[in-house]
Amino acid sequence: KYKKVHLLYFTDPICSTCWLIQPQLRKLKLEYGDYLEIEYCMGGLLPSWNNFKSGPITSPETAAKYWDEVALEYDMPINSSVWLEDPLPSSYPPSIAFKAAQMQDIDKAIIFLRRINEMLFVDSKNIIENVLLHKAAFEAGLDAARLMRDLEGKAQLLFEADLELAKSLDITSLPTFIFADKFDHSVVLKGFQDYKKFEDALLQLIPKAKKKPIKKDYENLFKIYPTLTTKEFSFLSDLEMDASEALLLDLFEKKVLIKYNSQQKGVIWKLSE
């Protein structure tokens, strides 16, 4: 039996850095998942635009500009047009929806979060809309009607508890990862990180942790993660971006994969039904 490390992950459905770090997080789960218990907490990034300031972002317009810049830098699909056409007034509604999803099923809640991430970052949809939250819940295999009911009630209290926890731990940037063992030793990572930092954090707490070899063929990767960006596929398969793109396009042309694009940058791939 493996010794476990508790990984507290503070995130937010609209946090672009949390989206950009998915390749690292997904690889960590594949290689070291046996040693980790990951707990997702909501960080409450955008209460409202009143007096809001996070780095260079102070308004929907500056959010759009920032998203355009990071899309080019990190090779993850990001479509900023939502901030100009239908800006989200707050990240609280989708965060509360995530807590409602967790009330039903921890694993499906992560699929739900992925789905609303894709709706926002790739499809440029305003994910505070109930119709989209309902659709994402349904696609994640959750009881969508129940999720919509829980949104109004207990999920709000769970979200408030997350915000309290974030405040008590002085979480000021998202994502924040807190690796902790049962002896209260902990390692904290804030913001965007290289994969090696994640490995090092875990190995500080479990020096004997061994990475599990990943089966890098596309069938296996898409079986574990039904949707992958080109960057994620490249990162998990250890292929260069150009080689990944060529392989994925070939599979697309053979109708093995389908793809959907963000207008500005990048593609999400999934297996054909």
Side-chain angles (χ1 to χ4, degrees):
K1 193 73 185 121
Y2 294 99
K3 275 199 343 202
K4 292 272 186 182
V5 162
H6 184 249
L7 173 52
L8 198 51
Y9 170 37
F10 285 92
T11 183
D12 186 282
I14 74 164
C15 165
S16 55
T17 314
C18 300
W19 173 242
L20 298 172
I21 210 161
Q22 288 308 302
Q24 289 89 316
L25 190 56
R26 287 183 143 192
K27 189 172 212 170
L28 186 72
K29 287 178 180 179
L30 286 184
E31 293 194 328
Y32 295 101
D34 290 333
Y35 300 96
L36 289 167
E37 287 169 335
I38 304 178
E39 183 184 348
Y40 282 64
C41 282
M42 293 287 110
L45 181 61
L46 178 64
S48 76
W49 284 107
N50 297 338
N51 305 320
F52 178 81
K53 182 162 181 19
S54 173
I57 300 173
T58 52
S59 65
E61 293 73 24
T62 50
K65 187 169 170 291
Y66 181 74
W67 278 23
D68 287 344
E69 287 163 9
V70 294
L72 292 171
E73 197 178 337
Y74 292 99
D75 286 324
M76 281 287 274
I78 290 191
N79 181 348
S80 65
S81 60
V82 68
W83 292 117
L84 304 175
E85 290 160 17
D86 187 12
L88 288 81
S90 167
S91 69
Y92 283 19
S95 300
I96 294 165
F98 174 74
K99 298 314 288 185
Q102 274 185 325
M103 285 168 66
Q104 288 187 43
D105 187 301
I106 298 283
D107 294 328
K108 287 178 181 171
I110 295 167
I111 299 169
F112 172 78
L113 180 60
R114 172 71 180 199
R115 201 51 211 103
I116 59 176
N117 281 160
E118 291 170 355
M119 287 173 166
L120 175 66
F121 292 109
V122 183
D123 306 333
S124 219
K125 296 267 196 280
N126 184 333
I127 55 169
I128 77 161
E129 290 170 20
N130 278 350
V131 56
L132 293 174
L133 295 172
H134 186 281
K135 182 172 188 274
F138 178 76
E139 288 172 355
L142 294 158
D143 178 338
R146 183 187 151 192
L147 181 124
M148 300 318 290
R149 285 197 305 275
D150 289 338
L151 265 183
E152 304 297 325
K154 184 155 181 228
Q156 297 195 5
L157 299 174
L158 294 170
F159 174 59
E160 282 160 25
D162 277 9
L163 295 186
E164 281 300 312
L165 181 60
K167 200 169 140 190
S168 72
L169 293 168
D170 200 24
I171 304 296
T172 51
S173 57
L174 296 177
T176 293
F177 299 88
I178 303 175
F179 293 78
D181 65 15
K182 60 176 188 291
F183 308 109
D184 281 341
H185 302 137
S186 62
V187 183
V188 181
L189 300 178
K190 295 179 177 197
F192 190 84
Q193 303 290 340
D194 290 326
Y195 186 63
K196 189 163 181 334
K197 289 268 177 62
F198 284 102
E199 276 192 300
D200 291 346
L202 180 69
L203 291 168
Q204 270 185 46
L205 300 173
I206 308 182
K208 291 197 168 85
K210 294 268 187 292
K211 71 166 74 169
K212 196 154 91 181
I214 302 176
K215 281 173 63 187
K216 294 172 182 166
D217 55 289
Y218 80 87
E219 291 101 335
N220 184 57
L221 293 177
F222 280 100
K223 197 168 81 193
I224 299 164
Y225 294 126
T227 61
L228 289 163
T229 65
T230 310
K231 173 77 178 190
E232 287 172 328
F233 183 82
S234 151
F235 202 73
L236 296 177
S237 64
D238 287 332
L239 285 174
E240 292 295 323
M241 277 293 281
D242 292 350
S244 296
E245 201 143 358
L247 172 64
L248 294 165
L249 265 173
D250 182 52
L251 291 167
F252 171 71
E253 275 155 19
K254 291 177 176 151
K255 302 208 173 6
V256 175
L257 295 179
I258 49 181
K259 65 174 176 172
Y260 41 111
N261 294 32
S262 76
Q263 287 162 358
Q264 280 137 304
K265 174 93 182 114
V267 181
I268 291 213
W269 308 87
K270 64 185 283 196
L271 289 174
S272 299
E273 296 305 319

